[in-house]
């Protein structure tokens, strides 16, 4: 493994041209995948709908699709015309003019308004009556009674005119226009311009298509404005940190290629940018830059004239923690792939792929772009001097106040956990836009003045022709509609039952007594056939087997909608057969998305924690060490959930990503610290010295990467979507807390921790078969031998160098790995040799009992020994009791054999 990794790293250092050529060819291939050659553009699309934010088998989505097939997609817009008074000659002429102009716009299929709908209650002879505006033109005296006629007609009351009579509504049905076509045709502006006629003081507009178009515009802004700004800020930070234009440009090219390859994968998989996956480019750039900082720190230390071997060693030092960082971050992302929501799964795969590509390119391409003859040494910048001066003081403070720091970490976690109990799942439908957004302002006005502007549907299916004309089923639907109207969230409800009542009344000379359902199925069918119109066809099909109840809700947040959905679905379940009803519509689907997210949040997080713990356990060769390494990061996750609870921000499709992202990212800094701490603590034989060394080498890069991450996530606060703003704020604050914890709590835990990494095991050289050639290790596996050796200290001695001095207080004992030693004493002004020792010999075992040394022990040629003491053996007993038991047994055997030999000599 070590050899394979070294060969990969050598490509960028020793063969930069070959590396650049391979990367260039792959990048050209990726670019070719993205280009839409026939159209001359790029194969990237924006999907503002909720389709990818719903489970594949979501019943409400399936019902919505069946509803769209039967009655056409319910893509209606509401255009509000504010004026002095609607029911005047001037007001009705303005409605007529605005309706005609809007109808003429390409993409508009139909417009329902006072200028198009018939005034059924105004006729006593025929159903073929004129619209309100035509009646007013023919008979101005009829205007006085129109307000009452609208109020008494459930088909129009509260939907075409406000109660105060100062706003008329145009209900615009589009002809299969999606969000991209809506934007391309600039329908929003065209509709507003067309409706702004004489007499209209202000035009207001809302509807699913308009909201989706605005969402598309916001997502495009994120990609075209926020992403370049973010890249510029991060590269400026990189230049300020390293003062090297070449390093900055090399990093920029590396990250650009990373994003190119990630986007090529997205295109090949046929995935569009949606509310969730639009985050991927900025996220990959931000994380890639944080990894770049660590590698550049190592490369630039090598100096302007650093030789290839030195730069290769620098890469090797950075490669293990960096690779593990990439693995843990990718694991955090991939944990989200358990989500039943396609958009979350797409985000998980793309983010993980982008992170892994970034790791490979940073380790291979970045060194190739910075050959040693051109890479200037890192200047002694102010922040570098600050880091060097602060590290010893911070280390001393952490060790001195270890208990206080750990106690503070526990208290912070408990306070955060208390806040987490207040978490709510919720997403805003229109309030996802800022308060000053014109679309949101229009929605709120129309919602309050028209008795609701959030449109949902009850789709009724029977699968039996003419079933919906049966009196019993008609009464059931009438009772259902009456129940729906009594719900506090409902501002209005309309169905074919209302048409039946109005038509029945009209056919009976407008007598209010006949505002009722027909007595028999034949009469009901006759009325429906006789009164057939485009409006009626939108609420009941020609075979009278399917119908839709259109609801206008006065609420738009998912919490209130979810409460209504629960009650409505319970009521729908009480309908008799063959009636089968489903509640659907965009707001219902959004609510369902939130519910699914809340249910899968803990599952994804638990998987991420488990897999990251397993990776750390394999790296540190200890479940306990892995758990301790995770503890600070679990505190960070608790802080995130606490922020959710205390701020009242709901768990929505974007904020639900933060926990796994932060866990994968925050553990990176922990790994960077522990990797260096482990090396220093083992070399120096002092955990406190290891803390100081690790802080000295990680304080600056960890701080720089944290600043970069915070800047990266704060960039999302410039989005027009509040969910992205919340995502950026929560993630940046949580990562700032993670930085603070990694500089205090993690070193406090590390000061009492000795770890052995998998990398250490792989690269440790103890000679051939130490478990067979060194008696102390008899009965152990090679891995167990290496575990003990890394808990001890491997030392080198030159010829004539003393290992032990006679008369010293014994503290340590040794086992010879390589070389030869001679034990001797000073006697009669001369040197008396006692014995010679080679590989496998145990020297100074009296150190276990704290006795004085009885002889000198000197290396006769280059040698290596393992030094260990009673504390090391006790540590082994606590962490690896089986290994310790075998070592104690072997020590006893060695001592017994030595005593036996001495006894034989005496005899």
């Amino acid at each position: 493994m070590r050899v394979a990794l070294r060969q990969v790293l050598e490509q960028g250092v020793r063969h930069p041209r070959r590396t650049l050529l391979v990367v260039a060819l792959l990048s050209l291939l990726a670019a070719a995948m993205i280009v839409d050659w026939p159209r001359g553009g790029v194969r990237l699309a924006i999907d503002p709908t909720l389709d990818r934010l719903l489970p594949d088998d979501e019943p409400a989505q399936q019902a919505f699709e069946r509803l769209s097939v039967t009655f056409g997609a319910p893509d209606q817009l509401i255009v509000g015309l504010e004026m002095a008074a609607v029911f005047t000659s001037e007001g009705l002429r303005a409605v007529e003019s605005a309706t005609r102009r809007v109808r003429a716009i390409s993409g508009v299929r139909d417009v329902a308004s006072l200028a198009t709908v018939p005034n059924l209650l105004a006729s006593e002879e025929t159903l073929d009556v004129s619209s309100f505006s035509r009646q007013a033109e023919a008979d101005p005296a009829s205007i006085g009674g129109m307000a009452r006629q609208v109020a008494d007609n459930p088909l129009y009351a509260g939907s075409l005119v406000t109660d105060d009579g100062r706003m008329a509504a145009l209900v615009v049905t589009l002809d299969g226009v999606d969000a991209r076509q809506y934007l391309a045709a600039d329908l929003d502006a065209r509709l507003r311009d067309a409706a702004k006629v004489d007499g209209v003081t202000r035009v207001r507009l809302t509807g699913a298509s308009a909201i989706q178009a605005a969402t598309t515009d916001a997502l495009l802004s994120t990609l075209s404005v926020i992403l370049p700004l973010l890249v510029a800020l991060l590269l400026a930070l990189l230049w300020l940190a390293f003062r090297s234009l070449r390093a900055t440009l090399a990093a920029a090219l590396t990250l650009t290629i990373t994003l190119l390859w990630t986007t090529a994968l997205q295109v090949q998989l046929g995935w569009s940018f949606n509310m969730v996956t639009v985050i991927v480019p900025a996220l990959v750039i931000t994380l890639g830059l944080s990894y770049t900082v660590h590698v550049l720190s190592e490369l630039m230390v090598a100096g302007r004239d650093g030789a290839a071997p030195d730069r290769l060693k620098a890469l090797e030092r950075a490669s293990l923690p960096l690779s593990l960082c990439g693995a843990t971050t990718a694991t955090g992302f991939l944990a989200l792939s358990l989500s039943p929501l396609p958009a979350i799964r797409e985000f998980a795969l793309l983010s993980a792929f982008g992170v892994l590509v970034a790791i490979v390119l940073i380790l291979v391409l970045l060194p190739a772009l910075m050959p040693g003859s051109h890479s200037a040494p890192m200047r002694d910048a102010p922040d570098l001097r600050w880091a060097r001066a602060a590290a010893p003081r911070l280390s001393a403070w952490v060790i001195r106040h270890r208990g206080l720091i750990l106690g503070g970490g526990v208290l912070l976690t408990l306070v955060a956990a208390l806040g987490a109990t207040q978490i709510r799942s919720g997403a805003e439908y229109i309030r996802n836009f800022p308060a000053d957004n014109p679309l949101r302002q229009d929605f709120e006005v129309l919602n309050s003045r028209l008795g609701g502007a959030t449109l949902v549907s009850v789709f009724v299916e029977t699968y039996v022709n003419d079933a919906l004309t049966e009196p019993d089923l008609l009464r059931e639907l009438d009772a259902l509609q009456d129940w729906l109207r009594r719900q506090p969230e409902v501002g209005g409800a309309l169905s074919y039952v209302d048409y039946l009542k109005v038509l029945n009344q009209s056919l009976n000379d407008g007598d209010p007594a006949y505002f009722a359902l027909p007595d028999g199925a034949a009469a009901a069918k006759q009325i429906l056939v006789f009164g057939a119109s485009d409006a009626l066809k939108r609420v009941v099909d020609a075979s009278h087997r399917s119908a839709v109840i259109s609801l206008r809700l006065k609420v738009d947040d998912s919490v209130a909608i979810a409460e209504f959905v629960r009650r409505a679905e319970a009521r729908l379940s009480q309908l008799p057969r063959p009636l089968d009803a489903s509640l659907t519509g965009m707001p219902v689907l959004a609510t369902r998305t939130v519910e699914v997210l809340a249910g899968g949040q803990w599952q994804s997080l638990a998987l991420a924690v488990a897999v990251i713990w397993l990776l750390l356990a394999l790296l540190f060769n200890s479940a306990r060490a892995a758990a301790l390494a995770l503890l600070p990061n679990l505190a960070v996750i608790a802080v995130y959930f606490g922020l959710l609870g205390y701020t009242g921000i709901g768990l929505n499709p974007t904020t639900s990503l933060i926990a796994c992202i932060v866990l994968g990212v925050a553990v990176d800094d922990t790994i960077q610290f522990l990797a260096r701490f482990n090396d220093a603590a083992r070399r120096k034989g002092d955990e406190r010295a290891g803390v100081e060394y690790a802080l000295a080498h990680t304080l600056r890069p960890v701080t720089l990467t944290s600043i970069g991450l915070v800047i990266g996530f704060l960039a999302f606060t410039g989005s027009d979507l509040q969910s992205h703003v919340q995502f950026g704020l929560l993630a940046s604050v949580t990562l700032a807390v993670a930085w603070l914890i990694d500089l205090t709590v993690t070193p406090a835990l590390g000061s009492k921790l000795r770890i052995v990494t998998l990398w250490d095991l792989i690269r440790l050289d103890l000679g051939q078969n130490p478990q067979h050639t060194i008696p102390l290790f008899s009965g152990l596996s090679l891995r167990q031998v290496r575990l003990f050796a890394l808990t001890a200290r491997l030392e080198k001695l030159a010829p004539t160098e003393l290992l032990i001095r006679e008369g010293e207080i014994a503290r340590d004992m040794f086992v010879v790995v390589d070389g030869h030693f001679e034990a001797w004493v000073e006697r009669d002004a001369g040197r008396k040799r006692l014995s010679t020792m080679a590989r496998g010999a145990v020297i100074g075992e009296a150190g276990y009992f704290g006795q004085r040394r009885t002889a000198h022990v000197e290396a006769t040629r280059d040698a290596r020994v393992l030094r260990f003491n009673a504390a090391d053996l006790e540590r082994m007993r606590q962490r690896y009791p089986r290994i310790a038991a075998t070592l104690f047994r072997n020590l006893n055997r060695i001592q017994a054999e030595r005593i036996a030999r001495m006894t034989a000599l005496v005899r």
Side-chain angles (χ1 to χ4, degrees), residues 544-781:
H544 308 138
R545 57 189 288 174
S546 300
V548 60
I549 303 176
S550 300
L551 304 178
R552 288 182 287 109
L553 303 185
K554 297 179 287 187
V555 294
D556 71 294
D557 66 283
S558 64
V559 175
I561 293 175
E563 179 59 31
F564 168 72
V565 168
R566 280 190 288 272
R567 293 198 310 273
E569 289 182 340
R571 177 65 177 81
L572 295 179
S573 66
Q574 299 173 9
L575 293 174
R577 307 302 295 175
L579 293 178
D580 184 13
S582 305
L583 190 65
T584 188
M586 287 300 174
V588 177
L589 300 181
T591 300
R592 179 57 181 151
T593 294
V594 172
E595 292 174 348
V596 173
L597 282 173
Q601 173 75 34
W602 304 110
Q603 182 183 17
S604 297
L605 183 58
L607 177 64
V609 170
V611 175
I612 290 175
W613 171 83
L614 181 60
L615 287 173
L616 294 175
L618 291 173
L619 176 75
F620 298 148
N621 292 282
S622 168
R624 174 177 171 270
L628 288 174
L630 262 182
L631 280 178
N633 301 287
L634 294 180
V636 173
I637 299 303
V639 168
Y640 155 68
F641 285 114
L643 287 172
L644 273 182
Y646 288 126
T647 59
I649 296 175
L651 196 63
N652 58 50
T654 50
T655 58
S656 67
L657 305 174
I658 295 175
C660 289
I661 291 175
V662 167
L663 178 62
V665 172
V667 79
D668 292 354
D669 290 343
T670 303
I671 292 170
Q672 293 287 349
F673 174 85
L674 291 178
R676 286 166 175 78
F677 164 77
N678 171 61
D679 179 63
R682 190 162 42 80
R683 284 188 291 102
K684 299 175 182 293
D686 184 349
E687 282 77 7
R688 296 192 175 198
V691 169
E692 182 175 337
Y693 175 87
L695 281 175
H697 286 75
T698 59
L699 181 58
R700 183 177 189 264
V702 163
T703 300
L704 286 174
T705 58
S706 296
I707 292 173
L709 289 168
V710 169
I711 290 175
F713 284 105
L714 280 178
F716 287 101
T717 60
S719 173
D720 291 332
L721 300 177
Q722 293 302 297
S723 58
H724 288 168
V725 173
Q726 294 167 354
F727 171 83
L729 286 174
L730 283 172
S732 58
V733 171
T734 307
L735 286 170
V737 172
W739 170 80
L740 183 63
I741 287 177
D742 274 324
L743 293 183
T744 54
V745 177
T746 300
L749 284 172
S751 64
K752 294 294 183 181
L753 176 67
R754 174 72 67 85
I755 56 177
V756 175
T757 69
L758 178 63
W759 188 247
D760 294 325
L761 287 179
I762 294 172
R763 67 185 182 183
L764 180 63
D765 180 17
L766 294 176
Q768 188 174 7
N769 299 323
Q771 71 274 30
H772 300 309
T773 56
I774 299 178
L776 179 63
F777 301 145
S778 177
L780 298 177
S781 66

Side-chain angles (χ1 to χ4, degrees), residues 27-229:
S27 299
L28 288 174
L29 177 61
M33 293 177 180
I34 295 174
V35 174
D36 187 350
W37 296 104
R39 299 180 181 179
V42 292
R43 296 168 57 191
L44 293 175
I46 300 290
D47 181 9
T49 68
L50 298 176
D51 294 350
R52 306 302 291 170
L53 285 171
L54 289 166
D56 298 325
D57 57 350
E58 172 56 39
Q61 171 70 8
Q62 296 171 356
F64 185 81
E65 292 172 355
R66 295 197 303 274
L67 171 63
S68 300
V69 170
T70 305
F71 297 106
D75 51 350
Q76 291 183 332
L77 300 172
I78 299 176
V79 179
L81 310 177
E82 292 185 352
M83 58 185 70
V86 173
F87 292 111
T88 63
S89 296
E90 295 79 7
L92 290 172
R93 277 198 300 270
V95 173
E96 173 84 29
S97 176
T99 301
R100 185 172 59 253
R101 286 160 58 94
V102 168
R103 244 181 172 172
I105 295 175
S106 176
V108 173
R109 187 174 69 190
D110 187 28
V111 179
S113 71
L114 294 176
T116 60
V117 300
N119 184 3
L120 298 175
L121 300 184
S123 173
E124 298 181 356
E125 298 177 357
T126 178
L127 288 177
D128 187 19
V129 296
S130 301
S131 66
F132 290 87
S133 62
R134 293 293 175 86
Q135 287 180 11
E137 184 179 353
D139 181 13
S142 65
I143 296 176
M146 287 183 180
R148 173 54 55 189
Q149 291 164 354
V150 170
D152 290 342
N153 191 328
L155 303 180
Y156 311 144
S159 61
L160 295 183
V161 184
T162 58
D163 293 339
D164 61 7
R166 302 184 64 181
M167 179 188 289
L170 311 182
V171 181
V172 180
T173 302
L174 300 178
D175 191 13
V177 177
D178 60 24
R180 172 174 281 189
Q181 293 168 331
Y182 189 100
L183 272 177
D186 197 17
L187 275 181
D188 192 283
R190 293 174 64 192
L191 287 168
R192 292 178 187 273
D193 290 342
K196 190 70 170 64
V197 297
D198 291 341
V200 175
T201 58
R202 182 166 183 174
V203 176
R204 297 190 182 273
L205 185 149
T206 190
S209 296
I211 294 172
Q212 289 178 2
T215 302
T216 301
D217 197 34
L219 297 181
L220 284 171
S221 176
T222 299
L223 291 173
S224 61
V225 178
I226 294 179
L227 184 59
L229 177 62

Side-chain angles (χ1 to χ4, degrees), residues 353-515:
F353 177 79
V355 165
L356 296 178
V357 167
I359 294 295
V360 172
L361 290 179
I362 289 169
L363 290 176
V364 177
L365 176 62
L366 191 61
L369 293 169
M370 296 182 61
S373 59
H374 297 283
S375 56
M378 188 164 47
R379 298 179 185 178
D380 199 13
D383 61 314
L384 181 57
R385 294 196 298 270
W386 166 82
R388 289 173 179 169
R393 291 197 293 269
L394 178 60
S395 174
W397 182 83
V398 166
I399 293 172
R400 185 167 59 252
H401 300 288
R402 180 176 181 271
L404 180 64
I405 291 171
L406 294 179
V410 172
L411 180 61
L412 176 65
T413 303
L414 292 177
V415 172
L418 182 63
T421 61
Q422 305 173 38
I423 291 176
R424 66 178 182 88
S425 299
E428 306 294 350
Y429 184 57
I430 189 65
R431 292 182 187 175
N432 197 24
F433 296 94
D436 59 351
N437 183 279
L439 188 66
R440 174 175 169 177
Q441 293 175 343
D442 287 354
F443 173 89
E444 291 173 345
V445 170
L446 293 169
N447 189 55
S448 62
R449 297 185 65 183
L450 288 174
T454 301
L455 306 180
V456 299
S457 303
V458 176
F459 184 39
V460 180
E461 300 170 282
T462 64
Y463 308 103
V464 179
N465 288 339
D466 295 325
L468 294 181
T469 61
E470 294 295 331
D472 291 343
L473 299 185
L474 281 171
R475 285 190 289 272
E476 286 289 344
L477 292 178
D478 192 27
L480 170 64
Q481 192 165 326
D482 182 60
W483 180 90
L484 288 169
R485 284 176 174 143
R486 294 198 306 271
Q487 303 310 301
E489 300 88 354
V490 178
L494 175 67
S495 74
Y496 83 104
V497 173
D498 298 308
Y499 279 90
L500 269 176
K501 292 179 179 180
V502 172
L503 290 170
N504 193 31
Q505 179 182 356
S506 299
L507 290 171
N508 288 276
D509 300 327
D511 186 349
Y514 286 92
F515 187 75

